[in-house]
């Protein structure tokens, strides 16, 4: 009789964050944060300052929330999950920073050693909030695509956001690894919680969520400071596109009688 294959449920989902968490612990225990940070922060890649500022802005919480507006009336299930993720990520990051208060690279090494782009942050290093936000966003958007290419590009973008936090001088490598693992896990948890609470997909509640998510977009248009001057234009563009994407959903279409796709796949 053929031997049955042992299948590990969720291996594709959990392998990445578990490895990232182990790597973060390994970097801390090996006291490798400083040499790794300096190697990356002082590398030739660091000369592309404007590029890294634009990439890092994609992990800004306000910008990420504005981006989530594109899900309104298109994927109510994921829009509901995005709201849950926004709460969980925000609370978890604040808890993490309070639980393990560490100096950022600039606070420990000083301005003569660290190449800083944007505002100068010195405290509350662990974990990286931008990285956690980026990976949570990718986890939420993942079910929206059937093709493997789009999710792969999103994952690459999230990794670049994490790398950008080192390149702009804001975080240690361990902060980034921990933030990525945390964000991905919270994104997956948010999807599950949203699945278990279908009332969050109700039309009236979705309208309330849209108003809440529109606040960051409007705030960005009103002059919200991302802390990275070179990334301000990108943040402004994200806000404009997101608000326009919501407005387009109210334009009558010939096939408007078709049911809205609002179920998890």
């Amino acid at each position: 009789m053929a031997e049955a294959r042992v299948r590990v449920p969720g291996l594709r989902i959990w392998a990445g964050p578990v490895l990232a968490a182990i790597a973060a612990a390994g970097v801390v225990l090996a006291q490798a944060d400083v040499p790794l940070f300096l190697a990356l922060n002082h590398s030739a890649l660091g000369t592309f300052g404007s590029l890294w500022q634009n990439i890092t802005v994609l992990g800004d919480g306000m910008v990420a929330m504005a981006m989530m507006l594109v899900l309104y009336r298109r994927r109510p299930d994921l829009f509901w999950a995005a709201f849950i993720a926004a709460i969980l990520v925000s609370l978890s990051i604040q808890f993490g920073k309070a639980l393990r208060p560490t100096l950022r690279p600039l606070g420990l090494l000083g301005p003569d050693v660290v190449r800083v782009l944007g505002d100068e942050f010195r405290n509350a290093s662990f974990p990286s909030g931008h990285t956690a936000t980026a990976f949570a966003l990718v986890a939420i958007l993942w079910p929206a695509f059937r093709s493997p290419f789009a999710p792969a590009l999103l994952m690459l973008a999230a990794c670049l956001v994490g790398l950008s936090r080192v390149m702009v001088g804001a975080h240690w490598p361990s902060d980034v690894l921990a933030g990525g693992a945390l964000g991905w896990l919270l994104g997956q948890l948010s999807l599950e919680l949203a699945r278990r609470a279908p009332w969050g997909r109700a039309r009236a509640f979705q309208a309330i969520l849209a108003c809440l998510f529109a606040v960051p977009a409007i705030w960005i248009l009103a002059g919200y400071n991302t802390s990275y001057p070179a990334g301000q234009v990108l943040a402004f563009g994200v806000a404009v596109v997101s608000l326009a994407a919501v407005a387009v959903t109210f334009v009558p279409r010939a096939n408007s009688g078709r049911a809205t796709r609002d179920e998890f796949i």
Side-chain angles (χ1 to χ4, degrees), residues 202-226:
R203 186 184 297 270
F205 191 75
Q206 288 275 308
I208 295 174
L209 293 184
C211 292
L212 293 175
F213 276 80
V215 171
I218 295 172
W219 191 355
I220 291 172
L221 296 182
Y224 167 71
N225 180 17
T226 64

Side-chain angles (χ1 to χ4, degrees), residues 67-76 78-79 82 140-141:
M67 281 192 282
M68 290 291 96
L69 269 175
V70 301
L71 296 173
Y72 178 55
R73 298 186 62 153
R74 293 179 176 85
R75 287 299 300 264
L78 302 186
F79 195 46
I140 296 299
L141 291 177

Side-chain angles (χ1 to χ4, degrees), residues 101-190:
T102 55
L103 292 174
R104 293 180 188 250
L106 181 61
L108 182 66
L109 303 177
D112 294 333
V113 178
V114 180
R115 176 189 284 165
V116 178
L117 302 174
D119 287 358
E120 298 182 347
F121 300 106
R122 288 179 166 80
N123 301 301
S125 183
F126 182 89
S128 168
H130 280 65
T131 308
T133 298
F135 275 89
L137 189 151
V138 171
I140 296 299
L141 291 177
W142 196 281
F145 302 96
R146 293 185 179 276
S147 167
F149 299 107
L153 289 175
L154 288 174
M155 185 62 73
L156 174 61
C159 290
L160 288 174
V161 169
L163 178 59
S164 75
R165 300 310 290 155
V166 177
M167 304 310 294
V168 301
H171 282 286
W172 304 106
S174 62
D175 298 338
V176 170
L177 290 167
L182 178 65
W184 179 262
L185 292 176
L186 291 178
Q188 295 295 332
L189 175 60
S190 299

